[in-house]
Each structure stands twice: as C-alpha cells, then as structure tokens.
Amino acid sequence: MMTPQLFNDIITVYPEILMTIFALTLIVIDVVAGDKMKASVGYFGIAFVALVALLCPAGPFIGFNNMLIWDNFSYVFFLIFAMAYTLTTLGSIEYLKDKNMLKGEIYIVMFFSLIGMMFMVSANDLTIFYVGLETMAISMYVLAGFNKHCLKSNEAGVKYFLMGAFSSGIFLYGLSFIYGLTGSLTYTDIAAALQGHGSDSLGIKFGLLLMLVGFAFKISAVPFHMWAPDVYTGSPTPIAGFMTVAPKAAAFGALIRFTWVAIAPASEQWTLFFTILAVLTMTYGNLVALAQENVKRMLAYSAIAHAGYMLIGLVTMTPEGIRAITLYMLIYSFMNIGAFTVISMLKNKGMIDDERIESFAGLSKKNPLVALAMLLFMFSLAGIPPLAGFVGKFYIFIAAIKAEIYWLAIVGVLNSALACYYYMRVTIFMYFKEPEYETELTLKAPSFIATFIAAVLVVLVGFFPSFFVNLVSSLTV
C-alpha cells in the first residue's frame, strides 16, 4: 500500500523517473533505427524533453528525508537544459553527418547527462548532488572524446577526465570534513551547524573551501579553468556549445542552492572568495580571448568570462542576484549555442582550420542570413543593446548596484567594453574582409531551424525583456 510519504517521494523524483524511462526508450529507438535514421534518436530526444517539461509537477515537493527538492527553481533550470539539448541536437545533425559521426549514442549520452544535471540542481544533500555530478561528468567525458579519429578530441576527452577526477577528489575531501564535523550531508543540517558556533570552526571552513574549489572547477572559474579552453576546442563543435552551457548551468544551479541554503548563515565569510573569483574570471577570460585567432577557442575563453559575470550575482547573495544569474544563464544558452552552430556550418578548403577567423571573411556576401544571425549572436554576447545579452548583463550589474557593491559592477562594465573588441572582429571579417581562402557553408534544415530559433530569441528577449524577466522571477526565489 502506498503511504503518503512514499507518494511524496515518488512525486519529488518524478521528472527524473520520466527522463530515465525516456532515455532507455532512446536506446531501443537507436537499436531499431537504421544507419541512415540515427538522427531520429535526436528528434525523439527533443520530443521527450518537451514532454517532460509539460508533465513536470508544480512544486515544491520535498522527499527522501529532505534530501531532494523539486520546485520552481529546479524547473527553470530544467528548461535551460532542455533548451540546450534541443538547439544542440538540431545544430549537430549535419555536422555529425559530414564528419561521419552521426550515431544515436551521442544523443543518448547527452540525454543521460540531463538527468545528472537535474539531480545536481534538485539536490538538498551532498550525496544526491555528487551522484548527479558524476552522472553528468561521465557523460561529458564521453562527449568530449566522441570523435575518436581526431587527436584533439581524444586529448579533450582524456584531459577532461583527468581534471574532472582531480576536482572530484578535492570536492570529496572537503565533503568528508563537513560530514565529520557536522554529522550530516543535508544542506539544512549543515546550515543549522553553521548557525551555532560551526562558522568559527577551522575544520568546517577548510572543508567548505575545498568543496567550493570543486564547484569552481565545474564552472571553469579562474584559476580553476585550465581544462576548459582545450576541452572546448577539441570537442566536436556543436557538442562544445552544449558543454559551455548545460554543465555550467547545472553547476551554477547547484552552487546557488548550496550557498543559499547550506552556507547562508556564514555567507558574509564567503563573499570575498566569490568576489575574487568573479574579478579574476571576467578579466582573465576577456584578456586571453583578445589574442585568439580561432573563433571556437575565442568563445571558449569567452565562456570563462561569462562565468565571471554570473559570479557577480552570487556575490550579492540577494534574491535579485539569484534571479539575475538564472536569467543570464537562460539567455546565454541560446546565444552561445547559436554561435557554435554557425561555426559548425563552416568548412574551409584552404590550409587553415575551419574555425579560424579568416574563414568568416566575406560570409555576408555568400550567405547574408547566416552572417546576420552570427552578427546578432556576437552583438548579444558583447552585451550591446537592445539584444538579449544586454538584458542579462543589465540585471547582473543592477543586482550588484542594489547590493551596494558599486566597484564590482564597474569592473563588470569595463570587462564588457573590453569584450566588444574580439566579438566585433568576427563581424568585421564577415562584412568588411575579402576571403583569402575558399570556404563553403553547409546549411540544411535542422541547422537553419536551430540558428533561427536562437536568433529570434536573442531579438525577442532584447525587445520584450519584461515578459522573460517576469517569467524567470516567478520561477526562482
């Protein structure tokens, strides 16, 4: 007989159960589908995440002895994951077909990674969080090295695995300190311990520091970012776009819940830690991106810089800051994956890599629509009004100003101005440079749809920000 508590537990984990059932269904579809029908696995995956988005229960539900929570915050991050999965799947089909890598496994592994991400954000206990983290991380290692005939992809997979294992070890070492000194791994119990005299305990501070370093690895914050540029550059291009968005969103979602609940009683003690990370991450990411001639690598360093902007919201430790991070992550998902989709369409027939900035020369004459979409993505990433990226940065900086951290908002604005240079370089090559190398652009229906959706959202959020801001505000704290 089903007790009310058992029913509550099942409802709490219901979205993850649905996703697991659909992931297993994708495996069956992959087995049944012929070699020329492997794209159908991706299309079914899109249909399944859309179905889960519709069937998710309205929370909040707290189950499994307060270890897992399904609430609006979990739901809005699931929507970000679903957006990343949908755009990446559509944008990757022709690329993977061209590289002879179109296999159903890639969409299945991506789908399983979403389940891990959902557990990370919904966790109210470090055990649940760690299980979700490893489910996501193992999927990412496989995706990074998916092109087994490419040395860079192999390197990316191995490097990601080694650095991921290293950061997991640091996190677990910190976790063992916390468990030993508080007697629990549940966020609320850790908060209760800190409300006593726990915040003065050197052992607890050391444990939390190690755990936050583990989080910093996952969001590629400086100086724990060293794995990110090589992994993003070596991974298959559409997958790199997915990796710059979805895992980062999961890590931020989990970090927000952890800081908001578990270490809230000692939040003032950790403000300096996040402030230093934010400044270093923004500044280093933008400065190094300036020197890049490879657009894919430039976007990899840009992804590091954007993590720095989002950390500003965390520094404020206010509801406005949390809402600003969530909105920024949503906007970042479609503008960045849109840019990676355009890069994946280009194929240089000359002596340079496809992703070199010279490959973009003259693109406005060859394909004005794709060039216009790329221009929108670059302008939006730079934070130029009235596009979506401007809205995201505006609310991040406003949150810092309301928290009276004026100097940090100024540092963020200066970094945004600095970033304009390398984003504008791409548009200059597209519109004002003559091509030196022969480049072809493969634009098929799935890639076009992904680019179109991303470009339309960049414009819509920019011109009608109130709707999206209110939507995110109603779904977060």
Side-chain angles (χ1 to χ4, degrees):
M1 181 177 176
M2 184 176 288
T3 63
Q5 183 58 46
L6 178 59
F7 178 77
N8 190 67
D9 288 346
I10 292 174
I11 288 293
T12 306
V13 78
Y14 175 67
E16 287 86 353
I17 292 174
L18 274 181
M19 287 290 288
T20 305
I21 292 171
F22 286 142
L24 296 175
T25 308
L26 285 180
I27 295 175
V28 176
I29 293 171
D30 184 38
V31 172
V32 174
D35 289 341
K36 294 183 179 178
M37 298 294 290
K38 294 301 182 186
S40 62
V41 179
Y43 294 134
F44 272 103
I46 293 172
F48 289 157
V49 292
L51 200 56
V52 174
L54 293 174
L55 296 177
C56 279
F61 295 101
I62 303 174
F64 298 96
N65 292 322
N66 206 24
M67 295 172 72
L68 196 67
I69 296 175
W70 179 263
D71 54 11
N72 287 336
F73 186 73
S74 305
Y75 183 65
V76 74
F77 271 85
F78 171 71
L79 293 181
I80 295 172
F81 306 149
M83 170 78 72
Y85 182 88
T86 301
L87 294 180
T88 303
T89 299
L90 290 172
S92 65
I93 289 172
E94 291 307 319
Y95 175 89
L96 296 175
K97 196 179 290 183
D98 184 58
K99 301 284 185 185
N100 199 25
M101 292 193 302
L102 184 55
K103 301 180 188 300
E105 295 100 299
I106 199 164
Y107 301 116
I108 296 169
V109 173
M110 278 173 58
F111 203 90
F112 272 108
S113 76
L114 300 189
I115 300 171
M117 294 173 199
M118 292 167 71
F119 274 116
M120 286 171 67
V121 177
S122 299
N124 192 45
D125 183 278
L126 290 171
T127 313
I128 298 289
F129 166 76
Y130 188 73
V131 169
L133 173 69
E134 288 306 305
T135 304
M136 178 203 74
I138 291 170
S139 304
M140 290 301 116
Y141 306 149
V142 174
L143 291 173
F146 199 81
N147 189 357
K148 57 187 178 185
H149 300 297
C150 174
L151 285 178
K152 284 185 178 178
S153 181
N154 296 341
E155 180 191 346
V158 172
K159 190 171 284 186
Y160 202 1
F161 171 73
L162 291 176
M163 294 308 298
F166 181 61
S167 65
S168 289
I170 292 175
F171 183 87
L172 283 177
Y173 193 49
L175 184 149
S176 66
F177 267 82
I178 296 300
Y179 183 68
L181 294 169
T182 66
S184 176
L185 293 176
T186 305
Y187 293 178
T188 44
D189 290 343
I190 295 171
L194 289 176
Q195 277 176 338
H197 297 291
S199 58
D200 299 325
S201 165
L202 191 60
I204 290 181
K205 285 181 179 177
F206 184 63
L208 287 175
L209 177 64
L210 292 179
M211 289 175 58
L212 292 177
V213 167
F215 273 113
F217 267 103
K218 298 305 175 188
I219 61 173
S220 62
V222 176
F224 311 106
H225 66 288
M226 63 291 288
W227 58 272
D230 290 343
V231 170
Y232 294 158
T233 307
S235 303
T237 303
I239 301 303
F242 179 77
M243 292 166 68
T244 59
V245 171
K248 192 175 299 239
F252 262 106
L255 183 56
I256 289 170
R257 198 185 288 278
F258 183 72
T259 53
W260 193 253
V261 178
I263 65 171
S267 60
E268 290 182 1
Q269 297 181 14
W270 297 102
T271 302
L272 180 63
F273 176 80
F274 292 122
T275 305
I276 293 171
L277 279 189
V279 174
L280 287 178
T281 306
M282 279 186 293
T283 309
Y284 180 86
N286 282 322
L287 285 176
V288 181
L290 289 173
Q292 303 306 314
E293 297 295 328
N294 183 308
V295 178
K296 190 175 171 185
R297 196 168 181 82
M298 180 268 282
L299 287 178
Y301 281 104
S302 155
I304 293 171
H306 282 277
Y309 298 131
M310 285 181 262
L311 279 169
I312 294 178
L314 203 59
V315 171
T316 66
M317 292 283 184
T318 61
E320 288 83 5
I322 304 306
R323 282 193 285 268
I325 297 174
T326 309
L327 177 67
Y328 198 99
M329 202 67 246
L330 177 65
I331 292 170
Y332 184 68
S333 67
F334 49 76
M335 66 183 178
N336 206 48
I337 291 179
F340 272 93
T341 302
V342 173
I343 296 172
S344 70
M345 295 180 198
L346 287 174
K347 189 172 184 180
N348 197 302
K349 293 182 177 179
M351 301 297 290
I352 60 172
D353 292 336
D354 297 339
E355 301 92 3
R356 290 276 302 187
I357 196 167
E358 292 86 350
S359 298
F360 288 81
L363 184 61
S364 62
K365 295 176 183 172
K366 293 175 189 170
N367 198 313
L369 284 178
V370 173
L372 177 61
M374 191 63 173
L375 179 142
L376 289 172
F377 299 140
M378 292 296 105
F379 277 33
S380 184
L381 285 164
I384 293 176
L387 299 174
F390 169 76
V391 176
K393 286 182 179 173
F394 176 79
Y395 281 95
I396 286 280
F397 299 149
I398 284 294
I401 290 169
K402 284 185 177 178
E404 299 182 352
I405 315 174
Y406 304 111
W407 70 270
L408 191 55
I410 293 171
V411 172
V413 171
L414 291 175
N415 266 283
S416 293
L418 186 66
C420 285
Y421 173 78
Y422 58 81
Y423 290 125
M424 292 308 103
R425 278 192 75 208
V426 179
T427 62
I428 289 170
F429 267 83
M430 288 192 300
Y431 284 90
F432 302 109
K433 295 281 187 181
E434 293 298 325
E436 297 179 20
Y437 304 93
E438 190 177 355
T439 306
E440 69 176 20
L441 187 140
T442 305
L443 181 58
K444 297 290 177 64
S447 305
F448 174 79
I449 293 170
T451 309
F452 180 76
I453 292 172
V456 167
L457 286 173
V458 162
V459 175
L460 278 181
V461 175
F463 281 90
F464 306 100
S466 299
F467 172 78
F468 293 91
V469 172
N470 293 334
L471 177 67
V472 169
S473 298
S474 66
L475 292 176
T476 48
V477 291

